[in-house]
Amino acid sequence: MKRIARLLLAPAGLLGLLIFTTQCSSQSDPGTAGTGGTTGSGGTAAGQGGSSSATGGATGTGGATGTGGTAAGTGGTGSGGSTTGTGGKGTGGATGTGGAGTGGAALNINDIIPGFDGFYWEATPSGNTALSGTNYPFGPAAGGCPSGASWATTGYINNKTMAVKGVTGQQYTVNFNVRGVVGTRCYTGGMPGGMPLPAATPNPSGPNSTWYIGGTQFNDSIWNTMEIHVAPAVPNAANVYYANYFPNTSNWCQKEASYETRFSASFPVIGGGNLTFTIHDSNCRTLANCGQVENQATCDTAASRIIDMSGVSPAPTSFVQPRSVSLGGTSYMVQWLWIDVTSVTSP
């Protein structure tokens, strides 16, 4: 009986062993290797990993490196594998560097109006006009004093012309300082200008602003003018300026004295044109630099004004004051202006 049982049990054990072995084989079979994830695509889309895991399989192969783009691609997970493929990071192009703009070089007054910076403008004695008081002769070199049909053509007119260079037709603005000693007079039809603006009451003992913009001479006075004319005419500008203005009030129009002047001013010019500096004296004699006392019988040369020239650039050389010029063996203390340009711009 025991033998029969053994015989019966043997096949059953065999069958169990076979089943057990089969199960064990299923658990230990390495199976098909997990398939790596698809290549991660760099840029905006993430790489997709595999979708199934093999049971008990060997470690799957990680997804291939994604192609670089603007964003990091994510590698797929291999089938049955545990390693995640990492997408590559795309590297963007380097930021472009803008070129630095270079400003134009500053304009040089010596290129635009040669001779204007440091221009010494003098009412130089000339002619042989009979004199009185503190006057000196300012007439034609040949003598006499021309008479004309009107004030504009009577007396002596001294002109100096200066060329405006630069680009023909281009507008420039010239900024400058002025200082000196002048006989003053009145003008009309324009307006006082410069900095500081001319005072309502001039200063006999100190500097005065004597700039006047536009207009014309007043009352056909026998006192000399000091005019600057700009040609060709600049649109919307005065184009004529006066450097020895006193206010048309009280008795300031015809003072028997000369005065210190000091101011800053500017005016526009046109490239290819010119400046004309005019001194017009209708009776061919003008006031000397004899100090602040009016109506002197003779010129007190010891009181002649000495003008502070500090800060002028370039500094005057061999500039002796008071300014004295000899004519016919006689020395006269003359009227003069010094122009010191500070800048020139366009326009």
Side-chain angles (χ1 to χ4, degrees), residues 121 178-185 208 210 224 226 243-246 257-261 286-289 305 307 334-337:
W121 187 14
V178 176
R179 62 189 79 187
V181 180
V182 294
T184 55
R185 61 162 298 148
N208 293 272
T210 58
N224 66 277
M226 297 193 82
N244 64 335
Y245 159 80
F246 259 5
S258 55
Y259 297 86
E260 178 181 356
T261 183
T286 194
L287 290 164
N289 173 16
R305 299 178 191 271
I307 305 304
V334 297
Q335 297 182 39
W336 60 272
L337 291 176

Side-chain angles (χ1 to χ4, degrees), residues 94-125:
T95 303
T97 304
T102 303
L107 294 172
N108 187 326
I109 186 59
N110 295 318
D111 296 329
I112 308 303
I113 314 177
F116 190 56
D117 187 20
F119 176 51
Y120 174 68
W121 187 14
E122 179 184 272
T124 306

Side-chain angles (χ1 to χ4, degrees), residues 69-170:
T70 56
T74 305
T77 303
S79 266
S82 58
T83 303
T84 302
T86 304
K89 291 184 179 180
T91 304
T95 303
T97 304
T102 303
L107 294 172
N108 187 326
I109 186 59
N110 295 318
D111 296 329
I112 308 303
I113 314 177
F116 190 56
D117 187 20
F119 176 51
Y120 174 68
W121 187 14
E122 179 184 272
T124 306
S126 60
N128 59 3
T129 310
L131 304 176
S132 64
T134 57
N135 293 295
Y136 65 88
F138 187 71
C145 190
S147 59
S150 66
W151 176 91
T153 57
T154 297
Y156 179 54
I157 301 173
N158 178 269
N159 291 316
K160 299 179 186 297
T161 301
M162 196 173 286
V164 179
K165 296 186 180 295
V167 177
T168 299
Q170 184 166 327

